[in-house]
């Protein structure tokens, strides 16, 4: 018995520590595997979305290409070439005249075929460009339609260059088939690398499951090795020997297939460091658990040794085992076990908090990257819109109001207005848009957004709109109010997967706590925007966190947790409040309260902001005597249109590409050629517009300065110690807005000198 007790005392600590270590390691491995499966599942959804978007993008231009080829095949030139009176030499000459037209730079070869498939004439720009027998096979099988053009598969030109086949019937004026026009075009694309980087894929191929030629939009490459149907996500072996996830999508109107691949290693890369830290934490947990188990087992083993020693003494003294003496029983290990469980639970909670924090940081980094991309695109697009709006406006002014050309230009200006609103939405998302706060009719926002909301709401959801009459205006940004309404409607629709009723209501109300005041402050008049649904509702715990950033109750991949947080931020920025009300099974009502326009607030729109005034903005105020205006703008198109606008107003313009060149000219200009004002873009190579304005204020204190930009932080970046802040003109702008900004800057400079 004593030998058994001593053996237990020696082995028990080691055995218990080993068991705890093994359990912790196995648990960590299972957790890592589960995280990997979740990431792979999300990557599958991303691949499906990206492949579908690329296929639709390629297919958008196919109908127009088919119509163009069909119309070309029905032209008199090709009809004559395939007519009964045309010789082979004449047919070849007519085909060459058609195929070598300068606007068809991608055409590599062309042939005219008789109805039976015999070659009537051929033309080749790139040697080796053929249809590889596809057209003849289609004629024999009768699969080529006789009423429109057909886009064929991807073919190889010179074994390395990708191309594709297009065939169109050539018919006479009475509809009789004269033959066929077959063309082979080079299929090299630009921007494939940027597309791969944007959607996070390694390979982007174009080919067909029934044809052996595949292209990466630059050269012929080996095709994918399918392990399942091409339109399902599958694991494939990439040319580099790595395992990747692949998926194909058919391009509408063609036999083409877009194939995308993403290596599994790239899928795990974003959280590789997190998994390494988690594995290290697992080892730490295992070590701590093993150490605690060792200490506990040593304590128990010590008690076992005491029992064994006393038993040996008893046996030696009496020759027989006596009754056990009291007081030698092992101590109760409940306290030690409870401490071990509490320590493990605390460490597990800290790891869970760290995991959630890492996920939030990763999501915030993704949103920041998308915001920077959206802001950059919108900024460049603003320059284009400025040029288009200015030229279209100047052309419109010289036409009679009822002329067809004036109507066409009005439609162009409307399209530019819609594009301007789109850029403002992009800049709002990226937090780079100039604020456009003005008196606003909330009922008008609901009416203007209704057509877009109709597309967001499924047919099984009833939509009701109840607008209060004589609703007073609020002071807010129209684009942000549309964003509030869309976010609330999307959340309401998601809460009604089985259908229901969605109500949008406006009303007058009274509420305390507006303009950031405490809720105990006196109530004041306000306007309420309510979006309610008959969906699943929320419990009290969920309702308490509903405005937390990144908090969402939607499934993985269905929401970012920023929709209601954005609404809450916009409401606070407008001096309002948002009050949620919900119960499980009884739906949800979101009420957003906005303060009314204050009586002392001047309701006059900013004349330098085209978004806050109509297209036909009147030029008011005292007349400005024409003079010399110095212009600094690095974009050639924008610089040219601004020069034309100013010259049309009677001013002389001295334009420069950089602020450094403008400053050098200004310091050496003759006394009689000093400008009446300086107009400068903010973002320019070398010295930027803000630094340029600071130098001008120091050297020429009374010279008016106008800064042109589309970014929101321009005013914040202007040094506070400037004697006079420059006038800000937001892009895109109209001719009247530019003239108004110039007048305002000159008047401000005159008043500063008089003061």
């Amino acid at each position: 018995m004593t030998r058994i007790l001593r053996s237990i005392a020696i082995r028990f600590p080691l055995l218990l520590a080993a068991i705890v270590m093994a359990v912790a390691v196995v648990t960590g491995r299972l957790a890592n595997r589960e995280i990997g499966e979740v990431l792979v599942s999300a990557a599958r959804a991303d691949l499906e979305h990206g492949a579908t978007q690329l296929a639709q993008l390629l297919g958008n231009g196919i109908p127009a290409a088919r119509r163009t080829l069909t119309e070309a095949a029905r032209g008199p030139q090709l009809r004559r070439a395939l007519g009964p009176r045309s010789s082979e030499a004449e047919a070849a000459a007519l085909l060459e005249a058609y195929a070598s037209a300068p606007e068809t730079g991608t055409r590599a070869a062309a042939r005219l075929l008789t109805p039976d498939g015999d070659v009537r004439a051929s033309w080749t720009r790139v040697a080796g460009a053929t249809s590889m027998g596809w057209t003849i096979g289609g004629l024999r099988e009768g699969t080529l339609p006789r009423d429109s053009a057909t886009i064929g598969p991807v073919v190889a030109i010179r074994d390395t260059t990708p191309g594709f086949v297009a065939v169109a019937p050539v018919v006479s004026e009475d509809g009789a088939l004269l033959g066929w026009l077959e063309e082979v075009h080079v299929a090299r694309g630009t921007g494939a690398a940027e597309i791969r980087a944007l959607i996070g894929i390694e390979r982007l191929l174009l080919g067909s499951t029934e044809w052996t030629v595949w292209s990466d939009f630059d050269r012929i490459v080996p095709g994918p090795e399918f392990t399942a149907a091409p339109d399902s996500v599958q694991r494939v072996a990439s040319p580099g020997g790595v395992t990747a996830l692949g998926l194909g999508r058919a391009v509408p109107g063609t036999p083409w297939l877009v194939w995308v691949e993403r290596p599994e290693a790239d899928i795990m890369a974003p959280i590789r460091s997190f998994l390494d830290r988690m594995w290290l934490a697992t080892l730490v947990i295992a070590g701590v658990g093993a150490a605690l188990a060792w200490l506990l087992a040593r304590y128990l083993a010590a008690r076992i040794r005491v029992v064994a020693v006393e038993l040996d003494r008893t046996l030696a003294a009496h020759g027989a085992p006596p009754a056990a003496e009291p007081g030698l029983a092992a101590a109760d290990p409940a306290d030690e076990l409870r401490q071990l469980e509490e320590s493990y639970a605390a460490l597990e909670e800290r790891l869970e908090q760290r995991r959630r924090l890492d996920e939030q940081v990763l999501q915030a980094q993704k949103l920041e990257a998308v915001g920077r991309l959206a802001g950059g695109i919108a900024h460049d697009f603003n320059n284009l819109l400025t040029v288009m709006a200015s030229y279209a406006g100047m052309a419109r002014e010289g036409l009679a109001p009822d002329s067809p050309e004036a109507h066409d230009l009005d439609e162009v200006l409307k399209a530019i207005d819609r594009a301007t609103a789109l850029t403002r939405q992009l800049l709002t998302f990226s937090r780079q848009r100039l604020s456009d706060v003005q008196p606003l009719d909330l009922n008008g926002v609901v009416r203007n957004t209704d057509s877009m909301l109709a597309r967001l709401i499924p047919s099984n959801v009833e939509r009701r709109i109840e607008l209060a009459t004589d609703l007073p205006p609020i002071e807010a940004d129209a684009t942000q109010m549309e964003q509030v309404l869309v976010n609330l409607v999307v959340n309401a629709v998601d809460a009604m997967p089985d259908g229901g009723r969605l109500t949008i209501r406006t009303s007058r109300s009274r509420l305390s706590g507006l303009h950031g005041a405490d809720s105990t402050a006196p109530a004041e008049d306000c306007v309420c925007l309510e979006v309610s649904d008959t969906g699943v509702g929320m419990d009290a715990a969920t309702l308490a966190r509903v405005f937390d950033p990144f908090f969402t109750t939607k499934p993985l991949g269905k929401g970012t947790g920023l929709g209601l947080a954005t609404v809450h931020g916009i409401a606070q920025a407008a001096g309002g409040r948002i009050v949620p009300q919900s119960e499980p099974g009884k739906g949800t009502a979101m009420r957003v309260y906005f303060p009314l326009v204050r009586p002392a607030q001047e309701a006059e729109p900013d004349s330098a902001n085209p978004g806050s005034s109509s297209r036909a903005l009147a030029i008011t105020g005292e007349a400005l005597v024409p003079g010399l205006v110095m212009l600094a703008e690095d974009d050639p198109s924008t610089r040219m249109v601004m020069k034309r606008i100013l010259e049309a107003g009677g001013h002389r313009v001295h334009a420069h590409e950089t602020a450094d060149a403008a400053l050098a000219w200004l310091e050496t200009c003759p006394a009689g050629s000093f400008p009446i004002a300086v107009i400068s873009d903010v973002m320019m190579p070398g010295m930027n517009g803000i630094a340029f304005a600071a130098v001008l204020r120091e050297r020429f204190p009374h010279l008016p300065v106008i800064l042109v930009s589309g970014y929101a932080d321009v005013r914040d970046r202007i040094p506070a110690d400037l004697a006079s802040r420059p006038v800000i003109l937001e892009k895109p702008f109209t001719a009247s807005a530019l003239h108004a900004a110039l007048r305002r800057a000159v008047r401000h400079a005159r008043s500063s000198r008089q003061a």
Side-chain angles (χ1 to χ4, degrees):
M1 175 64 72
T2 57
R3 287 196 300 269
I4 295 175
L5 291 177
R6 287 192 177 92
S7 177
I8 292 175
I10 294 172
R11 298 177 181 177
F12 182 65
L14 296 175
L15 179 62
L16 186 58
I19 291 175
V20 172
M21 177 74 76
V23 170
V25 170
V26 170
T27 302
R29 296 289 294 179
L30 292 177
N32 282 358
R33 181 182 302 175
E34 185 66 22
I35 293 174
E37 291 298 328
V38 171
L39 283 178
V40 170
S41 176
R44 288 173 180 266
D46 291 342
L47 275 180
E48 292 177 352
H49 178 72
T52 302
Q53 293 296 321
L54 287 174
Q56 292 177 353
L57 182 64
L58 289 175
N60 286 340
I62 295 301
R66 291 175 60 186
R67 287 194 300 269
T68 301
L69 185 59
T70 301
E71 293 173 359
R74 294 178 179 178
Q77 196 173 17
L78 298 182
R79 285 177 174 173
R80 180 181 172 188
L82 286 173
R85 299 180 181 179
S86 175
S87 63
E88 291 187 0
E90 185 180 2
L94 291 171
L95 177 61
E96 182 178 1
Y98 160 77
S100 58
E103 65 271 11
T104 57
T106 63
R107 186 181 292 124
R111 294 195 305 177
L112 288 177
L113 307 177
T114 65
D116 297 329
D118 297 330
V119 179
R120 178 70 171 174
S122 63
W123 172 87
T124 302
R125 174 181 288 165
V126 180
T130 67
S131 64
M132 301 174 64
W134 179 82
T135 305
I136 301 301
L139 290 175
R140 291 174 180 173
E141 297 173 2
T143 57
L144 296 181
R146 298 192 175 190
D147 56 349
S148 64
T150 303
I151 303 299
V154 178
V155 296
I157 301 175
R158 293 180 177 174
D159 297 331
T160 59
T161 303
F164 68 90
V165 184
V167 179
V170 181
V171 296
S172 64
E173 293 182 357
D174 56 0
L177 179 65
L178 299 177
W180 302 89
L181 169 63
E182 175 195 80
E183 295 184 357
V184 178
H185 290 260
V186 176
R188 277 180 172 163
T190 58
E194 289 78 3
I195 293 176
R196 290 196 300 268
L198 183 61
I199 63 178
I201 60 175
E202 181 70 20
R203 297 182 74 198
L204 173 59
L205 305 180
L206 183 68
S208 172
T209 56
E210 296 153 353
W211 207 251
T212 58
V213 179
W214 288 84
S215 159
D216 65 354
F217 292 90
D218 183 58
R219 63 186 184 279
I220 300 299
V221 296
E225 299 180 1
F226 302 116
T227 59
D231 59 350
S232 61
V233 180
Q234 53 195 283
R235 281 185 169 87
V236 295
S238 293
V242 299
T243 302
L245 294 181
L247 173 69
R249 281 289 183 267
V251 178
T254 72
W256 303 343
L257 185 74
V258 174
W259 178 263
V260 296
E261 287 183 11
R262 185 180 183 186
E264 287 190 335
D266 292 350
I267 299 174
M268 302 296 294
I271 64 161
R272 180 62 61 188
S273 61
F274 169 74
L275 292 179
D276 293 341
R277 292 195 300 270
M278 184 175 179
W279 181 243
L280 178 61
T282 301
L283 295 179
V284 171
I285 293 175
V288 172
L292 293 176
W294 173 268
L295 294 176
L296 177 61
R298 286 293 300 271
Y299 173 78
L300 296 177
R303 306 305 298 174
I304 293 175
R305 289 192 186 95
V306 171
V307 173
V309 170
E310 293 299 328
L311 183 58
D312 284 341
R313 291 176 181 176
T314 302
L315 291 176
H318 301 283
E325 295 182 11
L328 295 181
D332 187 5
D335 292 339
E336 298 288 344
L337 289 175
R338 184 167 53 255
Q339 293 177 5
L340 176 62
E341 292 174 354
E342 292 175 354
S343 299
Y344 180 79
L347 183 58
E348 190 176 45
E349 176 63 23
R350 287 196 296 270
L351 287 174
E352 178 64 20
Q353 293 176 355
R354 183 61 180 269
R355 182 189 66 81
R356 290 196 297 264
L357 181 61
D358 287 344
E359 289 179 352
Q360 293 176 4
V361 170
L362 180 61
Q363 183 72 5
Q365 290 173 345
K366 289 182 178 180
L367 290 175
E368 181 181 1
V370 175
R372 288 180 179 272
L373 175 62
I377 292 174
H379 178 261
D380 293 339
F381 198 48
N382 270 336
N383 285 335
L384 300 177
L385 289 177
T386 298
V387 175
M388 290 187 289
S390 298
Y391 279 121
M394 289 187 291
R396 175 65 178 82
E397 291 176 359
L399 298 174
D402 56 348
S403 65
E405 293 80 4
H407 176 72
D408 294 341
L409 286 175
D410 287 339
E411 294 301 320
V412 171
L413 292 173
K414 291 179 182 178
I416 293 173
D417 286 337
R418 291 193 294 270
T420 301
L422 177 60
T423 60
R424 286 178 180 156
Q425 291 177 0
L426 290 175
L427 290 172
T428 297
F429 174 76
S430 61
R431 299 179 184 269
Q432 294 176 343
R433 179 182 169 248
L434 289 171
S435 180
D436 191 13
V437 176
Q438 56 180 310
L440 186 67
D441 178 15
L442 192 57
N443 285 344
V445 173
V446 177
R447 295 189 189 98
N448 294 337
T449 317
D450 184 52
S451 59
M452 178 175 62
L453 297 179
R455 294 191 294 269
L456 299 176
I457 301 174
S459 57
N460 63 344
V461 174
E462 177 188 357
R463 183 173 88 258
R464 293 184 180 179
I465 298 180
E466 302 174 2
L467 303 180
T469 58
D470 300 328
L471 198 66
I474 63 174
E475 185 181 357
D477 183 290
T479 303
Q480 291 181 351
M481 292 303 100
E482 292 176 358
Q483 185 178 4
V484 167
L485 186 57
V486 170
N487 286 2
L488 293 178
V489 169
V490 168
N491 273 11
V493 169
D494 290 341
M496 297 183 289
D498 300 325
R501 183 175 65 256
L502 184 146
T503 303
I504 302 174
R505 181 182 295 111
T506 61
S507 61
R508 296 192 63 163
S509 183
R510 288 183 61 83
L511 189 71
S512 60
L514 299 179
H515 300 291
D518 189 80
S519 58
T520 59
E524 56 182 293
D525 292 332
C526 58
V527 170
C528 175
L529 171 64
E530 177 183 346
V531 177
S532 60
D533 61 73
T534 58
V536 295
M538 294 178 285
D539 56 21
T542 304
L543 198 61
R545 300 186 57 193
V546 73
F547 299 122
D548 291 351
F550 304 105
F551 175 74
T552 179
T553 59
K554 299 176 183 178
L556 182 65
K558 293 293 186 180
T560 63
L562 293 175
L564 290 178
T566 301
V567 172
H568 184 265
I570 292 175
Q572 283 191 329
R577 286 182 57 190
I578 178 170
V579 179
Q581 180 180 354
S582 182
E583 293 184 22
K586 295 184 178 180
T588 302
M590 290 287 176
R591 298 181 179 90
V592 190
Y593 297 90
F594 298 100
L596 306 183
V597 175
R598 297 180 180 179
Q601 177 68 27
E602 186 177 357
E604 185 176 305
D606 186 359
S607 61
N609 185 355
S612 62
S613 60
S614 64
R615 177 69 61 179
L617 180 66
I619 301 178
T620 59
E622 61 178 304
L624 180 62
V625 178
L628 176 65
V629 177
M630 189 172 70
L631 175 63
E633 169 62 60
D634 61 319
D635 184 70
S637 300
T638 308
R639 186 169 65 248
M640 179 61 69
V641 74
M642 293 176 70
K643 183 177 179 182
R644 285 198 56 183
I645 292 173
L646 294 171
E647 290 176 344
H651 301 284
R652 292 178 292 113
V653 180
H654 207 290
H656 300 273
E657 187 175 354
T658 64
D660 299 283
L663 183 60
W665 178 86
L666 191 62
E667 291 177 337
T668 59
C669 71
S673 300
F674 200 76
I676 63 172
V678 174
I679 303 176
S680 173
D681 190 19
V682 172
M683 302 300 293
M684 290 186 296
M687 183 189 303
N688 62 39
I690 297 176
F692 184 34
V695 173
L696 293 178
R697 282 292 180 265
E698 179 181 354
R699 301 183 185 179
F700 311 100
H702 300 296
L703 180 61
V705 178
I706 301 172
L707 292 181
V708 183
S709 178
Y711 286 104
D713 59 349
V714 175
R715 294 186 176 90
D716 297 334
R717 290 164 55 190
I718 297 175
D721 57 350
L722 280 180
S724 176
R725 300 176 69 87
V727 173
I728 305 298
L729 178 62
E730 180 184 357
K731 292 181 180 178
F733 53 81
T734 60
S736 58
L738 178 57
H739 286 301
L742 180 59
R743 286 197 314 276
R744 191 165 69 254
V746 172
R747 286 199 303 266
H748 181 70
R750 290 174 180 171
S751 61
S752 298
R753 285 196 297 268
Q754 294 172 359

